[in-house]
Structures are given as structure tokens and as C-alpha cells.
Amino acid sequence: MNVAVFRSMAPVFPKMASPVRSACCVVLAAVVVVYAQRHSQQDSHVQYERVGADVTMKCGSMDWDAAVTWTANGTDIDESHLNGSYLILKNVGLSQSGQYFCYEGSSWHLKYQTNLRVGTPPKEPVLMCRSNNYPKGFYCSWHLPTPTYIPNFFNISVIHGTKDMVCEKDSPPKNRCHIKYLQLFSTVKYKVTLTVTNALGKNFTTLTFDEFAIVKPDPPESVVAKPVPNNPRRLEVSWQNPSSWPDPESFPLKFFLRYRPLILDQWQHVELSDGTSHTITDAYAGKEYIIQVAAKDSDIGTWSDWSVAVHATPWTEEPKHLTTEAQITETTSVSTSSFMAPPTTKICDKGAMVGSGAMAVCWTAGLVVAAYSVLFI
Amino acid sequence: SQACDSWGIFTFLCAALCNLPALPALNCSEELGAGQSIQQTYDLTRYLEHQLRTLAGTYLNYLGPPFNEPDFNPPRMARAERVPSATVDLDLWRGLTDNARLAANYRAYSRLLCYLRVLDGQVGTAELRHRLSHFCASLQGLVLSIGGVMSSLGYPLPAGPVGPPGPPGASAAPNDFLKKMDDFWLLKELQTWLWRSAKDFNRLKKKVPPAVVTLRLEARGF
């Protein structure tokens, strides 16, 4: 009926003055809103059901033997699902979530409306607590191992001995909260309990830990690796303390560096008790290296995750191209033979330089001559 | 951890050799300089912390459940307050003067040593007695080392009761379970103090110019 009114008014509109036109629009809008509200007041709510459950929906206050039509998300539901005026849904699945309407048979009056949400009760949540800013405090973060498909509410409680502590929730991300330490070097453990609740059930998990056990810094930042000019086997690595670590003066960090050439799988490791730089002196000439650093409080807690990996290649004299074993040997023989006494080089020149075998002979000969010269000088 | 053990034993031997006779201990640390003895004391606390882990494991197993359960988290009773606590307000800890910091450590370990010695006399198995007496000797070394640092910096050694405070009769636990609780808290406080001391001595290291020892361990492959 309202539609008919609107249609009849349409040709009249262009002829009206604009304030009158706006007034008409406002009145129409108000009517639409009231219309919608009136309908929403009809028995409508959200209904939560478990996956696999059998659901029976009653059409509001209608009798069992009344003639009704049910729709789900706009589609009519077949009569086979009805028991009188009740809608029976067996073994509901996630796909059956949606808006269900029940209309009286002949008049098509909406008698009942519900928003069916199919989901599961929460499984035991996963909780993790960590102090990456010791001694300021710690944070806890959590998540559900599997989705429930319906809204969940989390509640976290932290108990320290007899004291209840408040864990302040972070705004983004919301599954995280942080706590400030009031006392340091505590012998009493912290007990953190996370409870998750939804319309179908609840679950919880607890973590109990010592102040020292959860200390784990963030990885070192700004890791930089540079070649060292005129040193084909060196790489200079430097990094910075993680910015989240508040007091490296009183709570110094120690570091673990690992490096390997890209072509090999085995890492080499160096542990450094202080300082934020290190020079690698045994890199293979001309090979690209991958380098990472981790940090740990020098006395307590666990190692951080590895830092972002950096790549670097040691300094080479010529532009880098295919580097074979023979070329590496030649480079080392060139640098070592320059230290040999003149008599030795004559011995080396006699033989042909056909590879590492001849090199070894030269080197041994050189040593023998050097030893004799030392004895007789 | 094997490398750690050898390093620890080596450091302890050094500290022990310097500290064994009480009077020459002061001369020894004065010769080395305050910086070196702070580093030494720091290393000693690390060594002791490492030793305590093994000792505590064995001792708690000897006490039996629930004391040897990892989640055991009993409330702190008034009795346990007699053992000196390392727990301190963060700002207060930061603001401690060098003297106060050292004195707190000295007093704590002197008292803890006394309690440990009492324990040593009562313990059942030979293995435990052996471990405890070894630990007590190391702890004595730590007390002397701290005393050495204080003297070299010109601070007076804190005066105080040599034995556990209060009349001997009152300190005995009324029953076996409470006695075990006392032992549990003693070990817990000792462990916490060793963690705290590492931080205390870190702070002291920064204040007194030290001879920094850079520990480098190169291990190939993993």
C-alpha cells in the first residue's frame, strides 16, 4: 500500500518546492523505519546450536496444527522438514546458519524469526606468556586451536601468591594483555588462568611459572653484514639490542650468531657474551653467506627467535663469477708464496703448477728450507 | 654444558685459591683490583647457580612429592620469612647504593650458609651429604669473595648474627612436613638470590671499571 502511495506521488514531485520535497522524504523514511521496527519486534532473536545437534523451531505462539511456511535465508523450506508447524533440523551443519522466518499460511504474516548460528563449544585455548621487556613486566597472548564459528569471550586472571593482578588488554591485537612487575626477584610463581566462554560452553587453561622462566627477548635488530676491503675471507657483522629490551645496562644481553654459505646446509655458530659486533674470519672467498643473530639475557630465560637473515659476500678482487676449487687454491697459493724466501720459489718454478698436489710439495719444501736456514744462521 | 662445567670449575678454583685463607683473601683481591673481583664474584654466582640446579633436583627428590613436582606452588607462610628474601621493589633495587647492594648480598648468603650447614648435619643419604658439603664450601667462597669486594672498595663488612636468629629451640619445625617445607623454601630462596646476584654484580661491573672477560665459544656444525 505504501508503494502505491509513493507511485502516485511521483509525477507530483517535480512540481513541488524543495523544502516540501525534503519533508515528504523525511516522513517516508520515518514510516519505513517504524515498519521495520514493528517487524523486528516479532519474536526475533539469535539461537546458538551445536554442530550435529537436532534443532526444533516453534513458530512463536502458533499451535502445532497451524498451517505455516518456513523460509531459510529467503528460500522456502520443504514440508518434509516440518512436524506440524514445528521445523525440525536434524544433525545441523555450519551451512544451515542463517535467518529463519515462519509465516502464517494464508495471510503471510511473519510470526517468528530467528537467527540460527551453528557452532561448537570452545576447545582448550592456547595460552603463552613471555617477558620480552624484563624487568618491566610480561605479556600473555592466546588463541583458540580451532574456530567455534560463534562469538567467544575471553577472561584472563593473574594471581601472584595471594595477590590478584590486573592484566591490561592491548587494543590491537585484542588477544593479548600485559602486566607490570611490582616486585623483582620473586620466589612465588605467577598463575595465569584464561577462560573462554561462548553460548555453547566454556573451557580454560592455566599457566604457572617463575618470573625468570618466561624471559625471552625479541630478536636483535638492524643486523648488517659487510665485506671487509682487501680481506677475502672476512665479513663484519653488527646489530643492535632489540628496542623492546628496556635496560641493557643492568640486564645485559648475550648473543648467538650463526652463518653459512648459501650452498651449504651446515651452520657455524659463535656465542658472544657482550658486544654487538663480530668479524667472521673463516668465510669461503667469493661465496654468498646467510647470517642470523639471536639474543638472550646473560643469566636467565631462553634465547630469542633468530633475527631477520642478512646476506653478504666477502670482498673479492675481481667481479664475482664462477669460482672453482682450482681458482680458490690459486688465490691462496699466490698469497702464501709471496712470504716464501727466494730459494723456495726457484724450487716451485721448476715443477709445473698443476693443482693442490704440487702446491703441497712447494709448501713442504719451503718449510724444510726455512728450518735449515734457521738452524744454520 | 660440559664446557660450562670446566669453565665454572676453573673459575671456582681461582676464586677458592684466592679466598681460602681469610686474611690473605683481602690482599689477593686488592692486588687484582675491585673490577677483577667483581667479575670473579659474578662468575662464582653463575657457577653456584649451575651447581644448585643439580643439588636442588636431588634434594627435592629426597624430600619426595609434592616437593619435587614442577608445579608445586605453596603459599608463603610466616615461618618461611626467616629465610632472607631476594624479592625487592624494582625502583628500590635500582636505587641501591653499591654498599647497600653488596651488604644485602653478604648478609643473605651468610644467613643462607648457616641454614644450609644445619641441613647438612641432618640429611640422610651419603650422596646428598657429599653434595651439600661441596656446595657449602663453594657458598663460603662466595661470601668471602663478596667480603673481599667490599673491603677493596672501602666498605665495612656488615656485622650480624653468625647463626640462625632466635633461640635454637624455636627454630625447629613442629612436624616433618613443615620441616620439609622449610627446606623447600630455603632452596627456592637460594636459587632466587643467585639469580638476583648475577644482576646485582652486573650493575656493579658497570660502575667499577672492570677487566671484561669476553667468553667466546666456537662450535662447528649443529
Side-chain angles (χ1 to χ4, degrees), chain A residues 140 167 262 349:
Chain A
C140 290
C167 196
L262 282 179
D349 284 350

Side-chain angles (χ1 to χ4, degrees), chain A residues 130 132 216-224 237-245 253-258 272 275-277 291-297 302-310:
Chain A
R130 178 177 152 219
N132 65 340
K216 178 179 168 177
D218 285 330
E221 292 170 8
S222 312
V223 184
V224 173
V237 191
S238 65
W239 58 89
Q240 282 173 3
N241 285 325
S243 50
S244 50
W245 196 252
L253 293 168
K254 64 180 178 183
F255 302 97
F256 210 70
L257 191 132
R258 71 174 185 180
L272 302 151
T276 54
S277 64
I291 300 153
Q292 286 179 300
V293 194
K296 180 182 172 303
D297 175 276
T302 55
W303 286 100
S304 72
D305 292 335
W306 289 107
S307 69
V308 169
V310 289

Side-chain angles (χ1 to χ4, degrees), chain B residues 22-68:
Chain B
L23 281 171
L26 304 176
N27 288 339
C28 187
S29 50
E30 272 169 351
E31 278 164 26
L32 287 176
Q36 287 269 45
S37 18
I38 290 173
Q39 179 63 47
Q40 230 170 260
T41 317
Y42 170 83
D43 292 335
L44 252 177
T45 65
R46 304 299 296 130
Y47 173 69
L48 277 162
E49 194 250 308
H50 181 76
Q51 287 298 300
L52 182 60
R53 264 185 253 162
T54 325
L55 173 65
T58 316
Y59 196 80
L60 291 174
N61 278 329
Y62 165 76
L63 291 180
F67 302 99
N68 58 351

Side-chain angles (χ1 to χ4, degrees), chain B residues 94-214:
Chain B
R94 274 215 169 93
L96 284 174
T97 61
D98 292 349
N99 188 7
R101 198 177 292 279
L102 285 161
N105 275 267
Y106 187 88
R107 268 191 234 106
Y109 288 117
S110 306
R111 290 260 298 274
L112 287 164
L113 184 59
C114 282
Y115 284 118
L116 261 185
R117 281 185 171 142
V118 170
L119 209 69
D120 192 7
Q122 302 166 337
V123 133
T125 72
E127 188 213 348
L128 260 179
R129 263 198 300 274
H130 173 78
R131 280 192 198 271
L132 261 173
S133 50
H134 175 102
F135 192 85
C136 279
S138 314
L139 193 56
Q140 162 104 69
L142 177 62
V143 174
L144 289 166
S145 190
I146 300 172
V149 173
M150 292 186 81
S151 303
S152 67
L153 289 173
Y155 300 132
L157 285 184
V162 180
S171 59
N175 67 45
D176 197 44
F177 183 80
L178 284 178
K179 165 79 180 64
K180 289 182 178 181
M181 278 294 266
D182 285 350
D183 296 350
F184 172 82
W185 280 116
L186 172 62
L187 290 172
K188 202 104 209 274
E189 283 297 354
L190 190 48
Q191 183 181 56
T192 315
W193 261 109
L194 288 167
W195 278 327
R196 171 174 158 177
S197 294
K199 298 310 180 198
D200 278 324
F201 285 100
N202 264 326
R203 256 183 114 83
L204 287 162
K205 258 197 267 184
K206 305 291 176 191
K207 301 248 192 116
V208 180
V212 176
V213 174
T214 314

Side-chain angles (χ1 to χ4, degrees), chain A residues 51-97:
Chain A
V51 170
D54 294 337
V55 180
T56 304
M57 286 193 211
K58 295 185 191 172
C59 189
S61 51
M62 300 287 283
D63 292 330
W64 178 82
D65 53 1
V68 297
T69 310
W70 284 92
T71 68
N73 294 328
T75 324
D76 283 8
I77 297 177
D78 190 63
E79 276 201 12
S80 58
H81 292 107
L82 279 111
N83 175 4
S85 68
Y86 298 169
L87 175 65
I88 315 287
L89 296 169
K90 287 204 181 284
N91 192 17
V92 286
L94 294 167
S95 56
Q96 285 167 294
S97 293

